[in-house]
Amino acid sequence: MPKNRAWSSALRGTAVCLLLAAGVVTGTTGPALADGAPVVVEGKWAKAAPSEAKCPKGTELIGGGYHSEPAVLSNGMPADMVDMNAPSSVTRNAWVVKMHVGSARAYALCEKD
């Protein structure tokens, strides 16, 4: 279960974006943790299916977010929505996202236990 943080979804997304820009992103393999620095773990791209990003052993989920490529209409307007963007109810220490029709990739923000 994630730690009780008073972060809004927007702030979590901002934190993920800042960490991505700072180069703290890792793949799905176990990252090397700097002292006290959170780690961002990315899930696999999934189309109209859940994408899950799981925190590595020794860390705890503190937030998450996603990158999406929604389906679009012929006039270029988005014709899609995010069906799920939250901590996983199935996998401990994981963030999950799902687009209704388009593609999305989940990101988990993890900190040392």
Side-chain angles (χ1 to χ4, degrees):
M1 179 118 259
K3 290 184 178 179
N4 187 7
R5 302 286 181 166
W7 289 3
S8 70
S9 294
L11 288 177
R12 272 181 269 197
T14 301
V16 170
C17 290
L18 290 173
L19 289 169
L20 291 172
V24 184
V25 179
T26 70
T28 54
T29 60
L33 297 175
D35 290 337
V39 174
V40 176
V41 179
E42 58 188 20
K44 293 182 180 177
W45 279 99
K47 183 173 177 127
S51 170
E52 186 177 87
K54 183 171 175 27
C55 290
K57 192 173 185 173
T59 65
E60 186 170 348
L61 180 72
I62 59 171
Y66 66 94
H67 179 185
S68 66
E69 293 182 1
V72 294
L73 300 172
S74 60
N75 64 1
M77 296 297 293
D80 206 354
M81 66 182 126
V82 174
D83 290 333
M84 185 185 328
N85 177 36
S88 175
S89 61
V90 177
T91 306
R92 186 183 177 320
N93 276 336
W95 193 268
V96 65
V97 64
K98 179 186 174 291
M99 292 291 291
H100 190 67
V101 179
S103 299
R105 169 182 262 175
Y107 292 91
L109 183 61
C110 314
E111 89 178 350
K112 253 184 176 175
D113 282 344

